[in-house]
Amino acid sequence: MPSDEPEYDLKVTATTPIAAGVRLLTLARPSGDPLPAWTPGAHLDLLLTPGLVRQYSLCGDPHDPSAYQVAVLRETSGRGGSAHVHDHLAEGDTIRARGPRNHFPLVSSPRYLFVAGGIGITPILPMITEASARGADWRLLYGGRTRTSMAFADRLTRDHPDQVELYPEDETGLLDLHTLLAVPHPDTLVYCCGPEPLLAATEQQCATWPQGTLRVERFVPKPENPTAPRTAFEVELTLTGKTLTVPADRSILQVVEEAGVPILSSCREGTCGTCETTVLDGTPDHRDSLLTEDERAAGDVMFICVSRATSPRLVLEL
């Protein structure tokens, strides 16, 4: 998207350990003014330091405009974002933010099956609240390394004892998705978030379910197909009047930036959705970890940090 998405200040009103290695941040406007509205599945960009931008799923109450909440897992092999949150952010600090934006929306359905692994519970939590409010049937399969590492586990089992199933790995082993997802359930959407092995296993088990049943959100990019072609193509930018060549070894985003066209980006790996761009003509080669199969087939938006073209030319609204 163009680089005009507004940034704003958020004040850390509380920072609370809620599970082993997990800290819950509560954020509000310093002025006390209402925050931008959001829906279950949305995430927020936090500009932690210059050059350190991270996306975190909102896990609080969408109907409370006074505060946002995000839960952050300390990643021992991460790139510095979670360590900064855990070691440097304190109550009273102010940080910049963008968003929220939602590429993992809760689509209306009479039934839901939620599958969460570890910190992947965060976008699922407000979905459960919304599904309950809608009167939908739902069930949660929640796995983690240990019971003490599973954020919100006590709350979920207390509030929904008949619908929540916990699978701490040290007690039960890994989620037995082969059994749990063996039989497709009619009129059911499956929402899954967590580490890549869980997502890949859920995708495999849901392959026999009706098309469009499964919705996933990834924190890291989906493994790239090593045989995917990389050829040069042209992009026409309608708002700036430029036509640029994207070589095989460069991304659209890199070429557009080098041409002096401002565009907002963050992860640069197809997971955050910040660089979403409207496609006016041509056929995108979608390589992101966000779009559903139906959205890919529509071909009207793409994420230019990773996606390319199967046509010789793309016309983009940039």
Side-chain angles (χ1 to χ4, degrees):
M1 61 180 64
S3 60
D4 58 356
E5 185 178 20
E7 296 180 4
Y8 53 95
D9 286 336
L10 289 177
K11 183 179 180 179
V12 180
T13 61
T15 170
T16 311
I18 57 168
V22 181
R23 186 165 288 274
L24 181 70
L25 296 183
T26 303
L27 308 164
R29 294 265 204 192
S31 64
D33 290 340
L35 291 159
W38 62 283
T39 54
H43 67 255
L44 188 70
D45 289 356
L46 293 184
L47 289 67
L48 300 171
T49 65
L52 186 63
V53 182
R54 294 293 182 266
Q55 292 75 39
Y56 297 108
S57 296
L58 290 166
C59 60
D61 180 1
H63 302 292
D64 178 7
S66 68
Y68 289 151
Q69 287 189 320
V70 298
V72 181
L73 170 68
R74 181 190 284 276
E75 298 278 4
T76 55
S77 58
R79 297 172 296 168
S82 67
H84 181 86
V85 169
H86 280 254
D87 297 338
H88 299 292
L89 275 190
E91 185 176 333
D93 287 350
T94 300
I95 55 177
R96 301 287 283 173
R98 288 194 301 253
R101 67 181 70 88
N102 197 344
H103 294 287
F104 192 44
L106 185 67
V107 177
S108 181
S109 176
R111 297 179 186 84
Y112 300 97
L113 177 60
F114 299 112
V115 183
I119 200 62
I121 190 63
T122 52
I124 300 297
L125 198 66
M127 291 185 179
I128 286 173
T129 302
E130 181 66 21
S132 297
R134 295 178 184 177
D137 291 334
W138 63 268
R139 176 184 176 204
L140 169 66
L141 312 176
Y142 181 13
R145 296 186 306 279
T146 65
R147 192 175 295 267
T148 57
S149 72
M150 298 169 68
F152 309 109
D154 290 344
R155 168 180 155 187
L156 285 162
T157 52
R158 181 194 68 227
D159 294 347
H160 310 286
D162 298 327
Q163 294 161 285
V164 174
E165 300 175 25
L166 299 186
Y167 295 89
E169 185 178 347
D170 64 338
E171 298 176 23
T172 66
L174 294 172
L175 275 166
D176 183 9
L177 295 176
H178 178 72
T179 299
L180 294 168
L181 301 177
V183 180
H185 300 286
D187 301 319
T188 300
L189 292 182
V190 180
Y191 277 79
C192 180
C193 186
E196 181 57 34
L198 174 69
L199 299 179
T202 303
E203 287 176 329
Q204 180 179 2
Q205 293 302 323
C206 286
T208 58
W209 289 50
Q211 185 175 352
T213 291
L214 177 62
R215 314 295 171 97
V216 303
E217 181 171 59
R218 285 179 157 84
F219 295 137
V220 296
K222 191 173 184 177
E224 186 174 353
N225 180 359
T227 64
R230 296 188 70 90
T231 57
F233 57 93
E234 285 190 340
V235 290
E236 178 186 340
L237 313 182
T238 60
L239 300 182
T240 52
K242 296 177 181 286
T243 298
L244 308 171
T245 297
V246 181
D249 61 346
R250 307 287 282 170
S251 70
I252 301 175
L253 177 61
Q254 289 171 321
V255 171
V256 168
E257 288 179 329
E258 290 166 1
V261 178
I263 184 165
L264 201 60
S265 66
S266 182
C267 73
R268 304 173 94 79
E269 58 186 16
T271 58
C272 76
T274 308
C275 68
E276 180 177 354
T277 300
T278 299
V279 179
L280 301 175
D281 196 21
T283 306
D285 178 8
H286 296 291
R287 303 188 184 193
D288 62 272
S289 303
L290 290 160
L291 295 176
T292 66
E293 289 304 316
D294 287 345
E295 290 168 337
R296 289 171 180 247
D300 53 358
V301 297
M302 68 185 300
F303 300 99
I304 63 172
C305 62
V306 292
S307 295
R308 303 186 65 79
T310 59
S311 56
R313 186 184 184 93
L314 289 176
V315 181
L316 305 178
E317 192 175 55
L318 286 174

